[in-house]
Amino acid sequence: MSSEQRETPTADAAGRESSYDVKAVEARWQSVWQDLEPFRADDEAVRTGAKEKRYALTMFPYPSGDLHMGHAEVIALHDVVARYWWQRGYEVLNPMGWDSFGLPAENAAIRNDAHPADYTYGNIATQFDSFRKYAASFDWSRRFNTSDPDYYRWTQWLFNRFHEKGLAYRKNSPVNWCPQDQTVLANEQVLADGTCDRCGAEVTKRELTQWYFRTTDYAQELLDSLDVLQPTWPDKVINAQRNWIGRSEGAHVDFVVQGRDEPITVYTTRPDTIFGTTFMVVAVDSALADELVTDEHREAFEAYRAEIRKASDIDRLATDRPKTGVDLGVTATNPVTGAQIPVWATDYVLADYGTGAVMGVPGGDQRDWEFATVMGLPIVRTTRPPADFDGEAYAGEGETINSPAAGVDSPLDINGMSVDDAKRATIDFLEARGTGRGAVNFRLRDWLLSRQRYWGCPIPIVHCEKDGEVRIPDDQLPLELPELRGSDLKPKGTSPLGAATEWVETTCPTCGGPARRDTDTMDTFVDSSWYFFRYVSPHDDTQAFDTDLANLWGPIDLYVGGSEHAVLHLLYSRFFTKALRDMGLVDWDEPFSAYLAQGKVINNGRKMSKSLGNGVSLGDQLEEFGVDAVRLTLVFASPPEDDIDWADVSPAGSLKFLQRAWRLSGDVTSEPGAAPSTGDQTLRRVTHKTLHEAAQLVEGHRFNVMVARTMELVNATRKVIDSGAGGSDPAVREAVEAVAIMLSLVAPYTAEEMWERLGHQPTVARVGWPEVDESLLVEESVVAVVQVKGKVRARLDVAPDISEADLEAAALADETVQRALDGATVRKVIVRAPKLVNIVV
RNA sequence: GCCGAAGUGGUGGAACAGGCAGACACGCAGGAUUUAGGUUCCUGUGCCCCCGGGCGUGCGGGUUCGACUCCCGCCUUCGGCACCA
């Protein structure tokens, strides 16, 4: 087998070793690093100001099995930055742990008649070994699992704080229900096509009393601070969050309804179109519709409502269905025209957005136009469309008309105004009259956090007949999960915890009377919404986290993870941070100062999957090419945010390069510390320029280009050894040491091996970035390009400080330039010394 | 439909405060070393060509001495939102 040969050191014609034994090198350095612990973060170094901090974080994994290609990619990319920061002299906090509550463990336990912990902690042990073999620079002394009582005790403690502040509450409401997983889901966990983001089952609705976090309290701030994050977060994540929060500006307008004391308030973004309101529509499944309908119309209404309820969510999501509805038999008064308009119920109005009632303006809204057309309701335009407009409803800019229409008497007149002016005038009018007001609406809903499953954090609430919802006192936490296993965990639509009678039946902490525990567990996104706080004091058994240390280390300077969490985890964590700040537990507003969304690893143009049979095993790749080659391949393949198609890359090529770089270290014959200033100046220029550029490239997250520059330095050094001054030149040593240090960010084993062969002590990971000699960054001579009519005709070697006049003269004197000019009259010469001359004829 | 991002050789990708398009690799072709090669090294490699050159960064215009880069209009792909009033 050839891979065996690859592992065996071989020799070239000159008898020198031409490759190293990948397996032996890996085994050896792992134990050295475990003794040295080079990446242990020191609180004191930061507290005393001795070193500047950097907090590097990559999303902790769910322990679903061993690490896979996706993990390998994030860690490879993330590690470049974390290791770079160490080399630049920062004190780096780069922790790792496990997001270890969750459904796969529970489903496995049911299948195997086991406990979810068996699966969970077995996989954690496997992943831990793999992480270390993969040479990830994590501070392992800080690791924890969110399913440990030591951790979830503090998740519960935080829940108590949210509950105290009214940020955690229960309400009865129609909720998303996954029939496959037998649990409710948050809005964020239902995909755009109405399916469950975990299992793909079609999500249905249920009316249930559930726990919520009041994320909507922070809607405006969550939106506003996206502006601050914009420069350092990917556009697509900012955009996704903006869309998700979905702010709109408009007005609430009160419509007096006959036979009802309270007016009905509608929300509209176009108060300027109020004169065109010819009917009102309310959501068919709202309490309001049920209350308004007259006896005469009730039968038709209930028949319609039953029909709508039968339709699946998938059908309801289709936007191209014909409009349907029923007349409720009541009328409302248009507050500006006094006209009586009919009130209808329909399914195109959503019960849980705005007020669940809408003013029907068919002239200005396409949906209302369609409804009016089907139902035979009048249509009035209130904005003048452009002359060439041939659509139906017109929602664009234009002059306000028919407001009021000729012959209509109204205390408000907005005719002739632009849309914006008419909006403002209408709101002012309504506010003065007390029948309306400017309003802001958000699409964002409160976060539904209860789950009807076992393997999650228990909600620390007791329900007492006398005292109601009672928090379990902090000093009685953690409330541990009861021991359930195997078939006890089978989903049955209510939480499995309910079956643990002895656990459920308890006494009220307030009155001591009989009470029942809450049987739901928390969404696992709650666990991950604060884990980055816990890392600053992971073993503290007196508090969730140390506020001083959190303020010292935080916020996270770079967060690396997949964009599948663009809304979910990132939004929840941002909400938690703001809430904890308001509780005085931390002083930062945003958890992640910069965010890098890495691409996926795919194969042959498609997502890797078992059903397609195109999966690439990380273990196999590591076995065949070694850790360094796999890491290098992932870093070099593309910009970090792009997907990597494994079919397009070459781990064999990466290994070849690493061996080539390693061979350089065997050719160096000068002693450590040899003064490079006496060596080859051309090579020195390349070395220093590369170090300078590589640093900037890492800081700009352009890791693939940084690798390319390292390759160029290797090529240049090879050339000097083979055809120039040879391996004894101290400039060669300087270059090879630079290569080892740059490689320490990407290929830690090879770098370590090189460093040792260069006569140094481990570890190369902490030797520091070499100082760049600025004087070597200035070029001795540059190539000036001479263009004639914009086309390159000649290249001249010139001094970097050549004057414009001299450069122009040199260009015009050039023979090929003269030939290209062919006697034509020179009209103009543009000179950009020292790089370019363009001759215009 | 609305919002956002991106289109460069056979492939992954470089180069954009407007100034040498294709760095660095993969692949391919040829050569050297080798008993051998999934080894190592060297050379070539955008397309066309009458060998002087011509054409080339999704398409069509524009600004400029000069455009992959800026502006206008399209096309395609990907991502988010979507009967959200």
Side-chain angles (χ1 to χ4, degrees):
Chain A
M1 195 52 202
S2 55
S3 71
E4 216 163 294
Q5 288 182 353
R6 194 175 289 123
E7 289 159 24
T8 311
T10 53
D12 65 10
R16 292 175 304 196
E17 282 180 291
S18 61
S19 71
Y20 60 87
D21 180 339
V22 172
K23 286 276 136 43
V25 163
E26 287 180 3
R28 190 164 150 245
W29 288 107
Q30 276 167 56
S31 73
V32 173
W33 294 332
Q34 276 175 43
D35 291 342
L36 288 174
E37 292 195 296
F39 307 116
R40 209 173 171 133
D42 180 7
D43 296 334
E44 287 314 305
V46 180
R47 208 196 306 266
T48 59
K51 289 172 86 184
E52 201 180 322
K53 74 94 184 175
R54 282 290 184 275
Y55 189 170
L57 189 66
T58 181
M59 290 177 183
F60 65 165
Y62 176 79
S64 57
D66 201 351
L67 299 183
H68 53 66
M69 273 299 177
H71 296 119
E73 191 196 359
V74 208
I75 297 158
L77 297 171
H78 170 85
D79 230 28
V80 172
V81 177
R83 287 171 172 272
Y84 171 77
W85 280 340
W86 280 116
Q87 296 288 33
R88 297 303 297 211
Y90 296 103
E91 190 66 21
V92 183
L93 174 58
N94 182 25
M96 180 46 77
W98 280 272
D99 189 14
S100 52
F101 269 138
L103 273 183
E106 193 163 344
N107 292 336
I110 294 164
R111 265 197 319 275
N112 306 326
D113 190 28
H115 193 280
D118 302 341
Y119 170 96
T120 304
Y121 289 92
N123 286 340
I124 287 173
T126 304
Q127 290 193 353
F128 178 53
D129 285 346
S130 297
F131 271 129
R132 289 209 290 193
K133 183 182 175 205
Y134 198 64
S137 67
F138 296 122
D139 177 354
W140 289 114
S141 71
R142 292 176 186 253
R143 71 186 188 275
F144 56 74
N145 312 303
T146 58
S147 57
D148 296 344
D150 285 351
Y151 182 86
Y152 72 71
R153 166 185 181 183
W154 300 110
T155 307
Q156 293 170 335
W157 183 88
L158 288 165
F159 179 92
N160 278 351
R161 299 292 79 72
F162 278 72
H163 191 257
E164 245 165 33
K165 299 270 171 199
L167 287 170
Y169 69 99
R170 282 206 313 165
K171 72 170 175 194
N172 184 267
S173 172
V175 295
N176 301 305
W177 176 263
C178 174
Q180 172 73 36
D181 292 336
Q182 293 275 302
T183 181
V184 298
L185 297 172
N187 275 342
E188 291 79 9
Q189 289 150 34
V190 181
L191 301 180
D193 63 356
T195 59
C196 168
D197 84 327
R198 273 186 206 282
C199 71
E202 196 178 309
V203 173
T204 60
K205 290 275 184 199
R206 276 197 180 186
E207 186 97 2
L208 289 170
T209 299
Q210 298 285 301
W211 285 100
Y212 291 82
F213 280 136
R214 225 176 273 280
T215 40
T216 52
D217 272 15
Y218 288 88
Q220 188 65 53
E221 199 197 333
L222 286 167
L223 182 68
D224 288 343
S225 36
L226 288 175
D227 294 341
V228 178
L229 301 176
Q230 187 137 30
T232 46
W233 278 42
D235 288 328
K236 63 174 175 180
V237 177
I238 297 280
N239 183 244
Q241 295 220 359
R242 284 219 174 97
N243 285 337
W244 189 261
I245 295 166
R247 183 185 199 269
S248 73
E249 272 179 33
H252 280 137
V253 185
D254 302 330
F255 283 73
V256 173
V257 175
Q258 88 193 119
R260 192 175 192 266
D261 296 340
E262 289 292 304
I264 295 176
T265 303
V266 303
Y267 175 70
T268 178
T269 55
R270 293 293 302 275
D272 58 299
T273 64
I274 191 163
F275 285 95
T277 306
T278 55
F279 59 94
M280 178 189 284
V281 256
V282 300
V284 61
D285 49 347
S286 65
L288 182 63
D290 193 50
E291 177 216 311
L292 287 174
V293 66
T294 59
D295 294 343
E296 210 178 321
H297 291 81
R298 178 160 290 279
E299 196 179 329
F301 167 72
E302 284 181 357
Y304 174 63
R305 186 169 63 181
E307 192 187 315
I308 296 303
R309 282 185 176 166
K310 259 200 314 219
S312 73
D313 261 35
I314 299 287
D315 290 338
R316 293 195 59 169
L317 283 166
T319 55
D320 51 0
R321 290 175 306 132
K323 295 285 176 286
T324 57
V326 292
D327 191 344
L328 293 175
V330 289
T331 60
T333 308
N334 183 322
V336 292
T337 63
Q340 290 301 301
I341 56 172
V343 180
W344 288 64
T346 181
D347 69 337
Y348 83 85
V349 172
L350 306 174
D352 58 350
Y353 181 77
T355 60
V358 167
M359 60 187 214
V361 187
D365 183 286
Q366 185 59 27
R367 296 155 300 185
D368 295 342
W369 177 287
E370 288 163 17
F371 188 78
T373 306
V374 172
M375 303 305 167
L377 295 160
I379 297 171
V380 179
R381 278 199 197 286
T382 54
T383 311
R384 191 191 302 287
D388 59 351
F389 179 73
D390 63 351
E392 299 177 335
Y394 177 69
E397 293 296 326
E399 179 196 355
T400 303
I401 52 174
N402 292 323
S403 300
V408 175
D409 189 32
S410 172
L412 174 68
D413 188 337
I414 53 175
N415 279 316
M417 291 186 188
S418 69
V419 168
D420 279 349
D421 289 345
K423 277 183 185 172
R424 220 164 296 128
T426 306
I427 291 171
D428 287 347
F429 172 83
L430 293 169
E431 285 180 350
R433 292 252 175 149
T435 57
R437 58 224 69 90
V440 168
N441 231 316
F442 293 95
R443 210 194 69 97
L444 181 74
R445 307 295 154 80
D446 280 342
W447 172 12
L448 198 175
L449 70 103
S450 340
R451 295 292 179 274
Q452 288 70 45
R453 296 299 299 245
Y454 171 76
W455 193 232
C457 177
I459 293 173
I461 292 285
V462 156
H463 299 279
C464 168
E465 268 184 39
K466 190 162 146 279
D467 297 309
E469 271 168 28
V470 182
R471 287 189 293 277
I472 295 176
D474 295 343
D475 59 12
Q476 291 173 33
L477 299 177
L479 166 62
E480 293 202 34
L481 284 166
E483 279 298 307
L484 296 178
R485 51 183 294 120
S487 58
D488 298 340
L489 306 174
K490 275 209 177 110
K492 46 191 173 290
T494 57
S495 179
L497 292 185
T501 317
E502 283 184 30
W503 183 87
V504 172
E505 287 172 3
T506 183
T507 51
C508 171
T510 305
C511 70
R516 294 176 59 81
R517 294 194 189 284
D518 200 290
T519 56
D520 286 344
T521 51
M522 295 185 210
D523 182 1
T524 54
F525 278 108
V526 179
D527 309 326
S528 55
S529 291
W530 74 279
Y531 80 112
F532 45 91
F533 288 104
R534 185 66 181 167
Y535 282 134
V536 305
S537 54
H539 311 299
D540 193 329
D541 59 2
T542 64
Q543 53 188 339
F545 58 91
D546 185 307
T547 294
D548 291 340
L549 285 172
N551 292 339
L552 206 60
W553 283 110
I556 285 109
D557 296 284
L558 179 67
Y559 198 28
V560 184
S563 47
E564 68 274 19
H565 291 297
V567 172
L568 293 153
H569 164 61
L570 291 172
L571 189 69
Y572 295 146
S573 299
R574 295 182 60 220
F575 160 70
F576 252 68
T577 302
K578 288 175 189 303
L580 298 187
R581 174 206 60 198
D582 287 346
M583 294 171 194
L585 293 171
V586 73
D587 68 6
W588 11 295
D589 300 314
E590 282 288 336
F592 314 121
S593 300
Y595 178 57
L596 175 62
Q598 102 283 355
K600 293 184 288 290
V601 184
I602 62 172
N603 193 21
N604 270 314
R606 313 185 73 172
K607 211 175 135 181
M608 290 190 205
S609 77
K610 278 185 194 133
S611 58
L612 287 169
N614 67 341
V616 175
S617 152
L618 174 60
D620 290 353
Q621 297 295 313
L622 294 177
E623 184 64 28
E624 189 170 358
F625 303 105
V627 169
D628 282 359
V630 169
R631 289 175 60 131
L632 180 74
T633 302
L634 291 164
V635 172
F636 182 54
S638 68
E641 53 277 358
D642 289 0
D643 287 351
I644 295 170
D645 192 330
W646 200 251
D648 290 336
V649 298
S650 171
S654 297
L655 181 58
K656 195 168 115 181
F657 164 71
L658 290 170
Q659 297 283 13
R660 218 167 111 74
W662 174 85
R663 238 175 283 128
L664 293 178
S665 62
D667 289 343
V668 172
T669 55
S670 60
E671 289 304 308
S677 55
T678 60
D680 183 307
Q681 289 302 294
T682 312
L683 180 60
R684 293 205 70 208
R685 280 194 159 70
V686 178
T687 303
H688 283 259
K689 199 171 151 228
T690 304
L691 283 166
H692 179 71
E693 279 186 28
Q696 290 182 324
L697 288 164
V698 172
E699 281 167 30
H701 304 161
R702 319 232 359 251
F703 313 129
N704 56 327
V705 188
M706 185 274 281
V707 171
R709 294 289 170 267
T710 310
M711 288 172 167
E712 288 176 76
L713 179 56
V714 167
N715 293 344
T717 310
R718 180 83 262 158
K719 211 159 260 169
V720 169
I721 293 173
D722 289 351
S723 57
S728 62
D729 188 322
V732 167
R733 164 171 285 277
E734 183 184 42
V736 178
E737 290 188 352
V739 168
I741 291 165
M742 288 188 281
L743 277 183
S744 77
L745 313 184
V746 185
Y749 291 106
T750 307
E752 208 73 88
E753 200 69 13
M754 286 176 73
W755 197 244
E756 189 180 54
R757 293 229 302 170
L758 287 164
H760 296 295
Q761 292 298 310
T763 167
V764 66
R766 294 292 307 274
V767 297
W769 198 258
E771 198 171 326
V772 172
D773 184 341
E774 300 281 334
S775 70
L776 289 168
L777 299 181
V778 183
E779 302 287 346
E780 276 183 305
S781 76
V782 294
V783 176
V785 175
V786 184
Q787 299 178 330
V788 177
K789 288 184 285 183
K791 292 207 186 315
V792 179
R793 297 295 174 177
R795 289 163 218 274
L796 310 170
D797 267 338
V798 298
D801 57 351
I802 190 169
S803 72
E804 304 229 319
D806 287 353
L807 180 58
E808 179 175 343
L812 288 168
D814 188 88
E815 197 183 315
T816 38
V817 172
Q818 280 304 325
R819 188 156 20 98
L821 283 171
D822 195 25
T825 317
V826 174
R827 288 213 319 234
K828 195 172 170 187
V829 180
I830 286 114
V831 184
R832 292 283 178 277
K835 285 172 71 183
L836 177 129
V837 178
N838 190 11
I839 301 167
V840 187
V841 295

